[in-house]
C-alpha cells in the first residue's frame, strides 16, 4: 500500500509539471508573437527614406505597403490606398508587363491654390510589388512659365524702340535735302536709342539680381551714401526741368546687405519720382528708423496712380499709362527690380498714391542696430 501511494503522488507531480510547462509555454507564445515575414524587401525602406522623391510601394492587391511622409502630404496616398487614379492605373500596367513607365500628373489642390505638377516614375519591385517615385515639378513649371512670359515681354518691348529708330532713319533718308527735318528726326533717334539702352540695361540688371545671392559679400550700407548716389544720378535731368530733389530725415542709419542692389533700388525710386513729376516741382527723399527697420520714402507731386492699378505696378513691364511712358521713356522694370531687392533683403515695398496729388513709395529694410555684431566680410565694389 505505501508503494501505491508513493506512485500516485509521483504521477500527480509529473502531470502537474507537464501542465505547468504547457501553460508557461502558451503564455510566452502570447507575450512574444512570431516575427512576420517582411512586407517590403530588406533595405528598401532605408533607401526610400533618404530619397528626395515621394516613394510608394504597392502590393499585388493595390494595398500601400510603405509610403514616405511627402507622399501623404501631397495627397498621393490616403491610408493604405493610392488616391490618384492616373497613378494607380500606371502601377497596374507596370505590374502586368513589368515595364518601367514615366508619366506627368497634375494634382488639384483645394481653394484657389494652383494645381501641383508632378513626375511619376513607376517600376516593378520584385515579382509582386511595384515602386512609384513621385517628384514635385511645380516650381520648375512656374519658373518655365515666368521665363517664357519674360522672353515674350522683352521681345515686345524691344520691337517698339527698334521699329521707331528704323522709321526715323528712313525719314532722315527721305529728308536729306531738309536740314531742319534731318535735325528733328535725328533728335528723335537719339531719344529712342537712349530708351533702348535703358531697357537693355535694366533687363541685364534684373537678370543679374535674380542670379545673385544678397548674402554674398554682404556688408553694412550707409543709407546717407546710398541716397546721395541716387540723387546725384538724377541731378542733371532734375536741374534741366527745374526740379528740386531734397533729402531729409534721420542721418546715420545703416542696413545690412548687398550694397549694389540696395543702391540700385533706391536709385530706381528716385528716378521714377523725377520722371513722373511736373517741371518746377519737388521730390522728397526721407529716411527714418521705425523699430528695427529703416524706411526710405520717396514722394513726388506727379499725376498719381489709379487705385485699381496699385496692385500691379510692381509687375515686370507693367505700365499704368503707356502714353505717359512714351514721353518719359519708361521701361516698366524699375519697380520690379525694387520689389526683388526688398524681398531678398527681408524687407518690403509699399505705395501710397492719389490721382492728381502724387505718390509715395516706401522701401523698408532691416537696419543694423549694433554694428559690432555684424561679421566682417569683403566689400563689393561700390556702385557708381
Amino acid at each position: 500500500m505505501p508503494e501505491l501511494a508513493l506512485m500516485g503522488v509521483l504521477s500527480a507531480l509529473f502531470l502537474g509539471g507537464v501542465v505547468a510547462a504547457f501553460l508557461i509555454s502558451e503564455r510566452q507564445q502570447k507575450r512574444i508573437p512570431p516575427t512576420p515575414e517582411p512586407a517590403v524587401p530588406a533595405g528598401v525602406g532605408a533607401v526610400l527614406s533618404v530619397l528626395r522623391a515621394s516613394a510608394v510601394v504597392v502590393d499585388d492587391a493595390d494595398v500601400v505597403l510603405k509610403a514616405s511622409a511627402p507622399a501623404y502630404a501631397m495627397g498621393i496616398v490616403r491610408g493604405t490606398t493610392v488616391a490618384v487614379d492616373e497613378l494607380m492605373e500606371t502601377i497596374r500596367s507596370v505590374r502586368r508587363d513589368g515595364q518601367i513607365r514615366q508619366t506627368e500628373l497634375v494634382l488639384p489642390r483645394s481653394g484657389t491654390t494652383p494645381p501641383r505638377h508632378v513626375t511619376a516614375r513607376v517600376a516593378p519591385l520584385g515579382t509582386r510589388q511595384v515602386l512609384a517615385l513621385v517628384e514635385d515639378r511645380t516650381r520648375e513649371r512656374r519658373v518655365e512659365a515666368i521665363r517664357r512670359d519674360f522672353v515674350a515681354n522683352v521681345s515686345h518691348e524691344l520691337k517698339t524702340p527698334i521699329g521707331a529708330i528704323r522709321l526715323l532713319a528712313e525719314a532722315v533718308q527721305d529728308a536729306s535735302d531738309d536740314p531742319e527735318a534731318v535735325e528733328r528726326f535725328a533728335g528723335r533717334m537719339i531719344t529712342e536709342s537712349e530708351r533702348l539702352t535703358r531697357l537693355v540695361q535694366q533687363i541685364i540688371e534684373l537678370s543679374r539680381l535674380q542670379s545673385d545671392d544678397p548674402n554674398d559679400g554682404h556688408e553694412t550700407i550707409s543709407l546717407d551714401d546710398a541716397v546721395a548716389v541716387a540723387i546725384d544720378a538724377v541731378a542733371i535731368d532734375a536741374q534741366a526741368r527745374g526740379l528740386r530733389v531734397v533729402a531729409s530725415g534721420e542721418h546715420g542709419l545703416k542696413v545690412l546687405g548687398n550694397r549694389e542692389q540696395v543702391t540700385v533700388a533706391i536709385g530706381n525710386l528716385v528716378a521714377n519720382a523725377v520722371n513722373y513729376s511736373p517741371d518746377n516741382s519737388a521730390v522728397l527723399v526721407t529716411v527714418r528708423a521705425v523699430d528695427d527697420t529703416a524706411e526710405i520714402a520717396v514722394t513726388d507731386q506727379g499725376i498719381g496712380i489709379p487705385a485699381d492699378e496699385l496692385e500691379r505696378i510692381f509687375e515686370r513691364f507693367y505700365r499704368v499709362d503707356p502714353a505717359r511712358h512714351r514721353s518719359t521713356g519708361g521701361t516698366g522694370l524699375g519697380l520690379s527690380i525694387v520689389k526683388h531687392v526688398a524681398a531678398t533683403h527681408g524687407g518690403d515695398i509699399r505705395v501710397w498714391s492719389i490721382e492728381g496729388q502724387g505718390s509715395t513709395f516706401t522701401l523698408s529694410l532691416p537696419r543694423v542696430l549694433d554694428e559690432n555684431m555684424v561679421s566682417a566680410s569683403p566689400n563689393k565694389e561700390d556702385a557708381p
Side-chain angles (χ1 to χ4, degrees):
M1 291 297 293
E3 289 83 4
L4 291 174
L6 179 61
M7 290 295 293
V9 171
L10 292 175
S11 298
L13 292 173
F14 177 78
L15 290 174
V18 170
V19 171
F22 174 78
L23 293 174
I24 292 172
S25 175
E26 186 179 30
R27 195 173 299 144
Q28 289 178 340
Q29 288 179 357
K30 289 181 179 179
R31 192 163 55 241
I32 306 175
T35 304
E37 290 296 323
V40 178
V44 172
V47 173
L48 298 183
S49 64
V50 300
L51 291 177
R52 297 182 62 181
S54 301
V56 182
V57 178
V58 182
D59 67 8
D60 54 356
D62 292 343
V63 176
V64 175
L65 302 178
K66 187 172 184 61
S68 60
Y72 288 99
M74 293 169 61
I76 298 171
V77 176
R78 292 175 185 168
T80 59
T81 305
V82 175
V84 182
D85 294 338
E86 293 178 68
L87 179 59
M88 192 67 251
E89 289 300 321
T90 304
I91 290 172
R92 289 169 181 159
S93 300
V94 171
R95 185 188 299 119
R96 281 195 299 269
D97 57 23
Q99 298 295 317
I100 297 175
R101 286 178 169 81
Q102 182 166 317
T103 184
E104 293 190 3
L105 306 172
V106 179
L107 308 181
R109 291 192 275 187
S110 60
T112 58
T113 306
R116 193 190 304 272
H117 295 263
V118 301
T119 299
R121 186 172 179 82
V122 185
L125 186 64
T127 57
R128 303 174 64 183
Q129 298 173 358
V130 176
L131 169 65
L133 297 177
V134 182
E135 293 190 66
D136 190 351
R137 303 290 189 184
T138 306
R139 184 177 181 276
E140 294 177 15
R141 295 291 184 272
R142 185 167 60 250
V143 170
E144 289 175 4
I146 292 173
R147 185 180 294 112
R148 285 195 300 270
D149 291 344
F150 183 73
V151 171
N153 287 331
V154 167
S155 301
H156 176 74
E157 294 295 329
L158 289 175
K159 284 194 299 185
T160 301
I162 291 174
I165 290 173
R166 177 173 180 174
L167 291 174
L168 290 167
E170 293 174 352
V172 169
Q173 189 175 31
D174 294 339
S176 57
D177 56 348
D178 185 350
E180 291 184 2
V182 169
E183 184 177 358
R184 184 172 65 255
F185 291 141
R188 289 284 305 279
M189 290 176 66
I190 292 174
T191 300
E192 291 298 333
S193 64
E194 289 175 347
R195 178 186 175 191
L196 180 60
T197 300
R198 286 195 298 271
L199 177 59
V200 172
Q201 286 177 339
Q202 289 200 321
I203 290 172
I204 295 172
E205 184 70 31
L206 183 59
S207 177
R208 185 173 58 80
L209 289 177
Q210 290 179 328
S211 63
D212 282 351
D213 182 356
N215 294 321
D216 182 19
H218 67 283
E219 57 185 302
T220 301
I221 305 162
S222 167
L223 291 182
D224 292 338
D225 294 343
V227 169
V229 169
I231 293 176
D232 184 64
V234 299
I236 296 177
D237 186 33
Q239 185 177 6
R241 296 172 48 203
L243 284 168
R244 293 179 294 109
V245 183
V246 182
S248 65
E250 300 180 45
H251 295 284
L253 297 183
K254 297 179 180 180
V255 297
L256 185 66
N258 185 298
R259 178 185 297 274
E260 187 173 1
Q261 292 188 18
V262 171
T263 303
V264 166
I266 297 174
N268 283 349
L269 291 179
V270 175
N272 267 7
V274 169
N275 287 337
Y276 303 133
S277 292
D279 293 350
N280 303 311
S281 62
V283 171
L284 182 63
V285 184
T286 306
V287 180
R288 64 172 184 167
V290 179
D291 297 329
D292 58 350
T293 65
E295 292 189 349
I296 305 97
V298 181
T299 303
D300 64 57
Q301 299 172 355
I303 63 175
I305 303 169
D308 57 349
E309 305 280 357
L310 290 175
E311 295 295 327
R312 300 194 59 191
I313 58 175
F314 295 102
E315 296 178 13
R316 295 173 184 172
F317 299 108
Y318 185 77
R319 301 191 184 102
V320 176
D321 182 1
R324 177 178 66 174
H325 284 265
R326 279 197 294 271
S327 63
T328 60
T331 65
L333 284 175
L335 291 178
S336 64
I337 291 175
V338 176
K339 182 178 179 180
H340 176 79
V341 173
T344 55
H345 283 74
D348 66 0
I349 177 70
R350 60 186 186 275
V351 58
W352 170 92
S353 184
I354 297 179
E355 286 188 270
Q357 297 186 26
S359 306
T360 297
F361 287 85
T362 304
L363 174 63
S364 297
L365 298 171
R367 66 188 180 97
V368 176
L369 301 176
D370 184 359
E371 195 167 353
N372 293 327
M373 298 177 62
V374 179
S375 58
S377 60
N379 293 346
K380 284 190 174 182
E381 185 176 311
D382 291 354

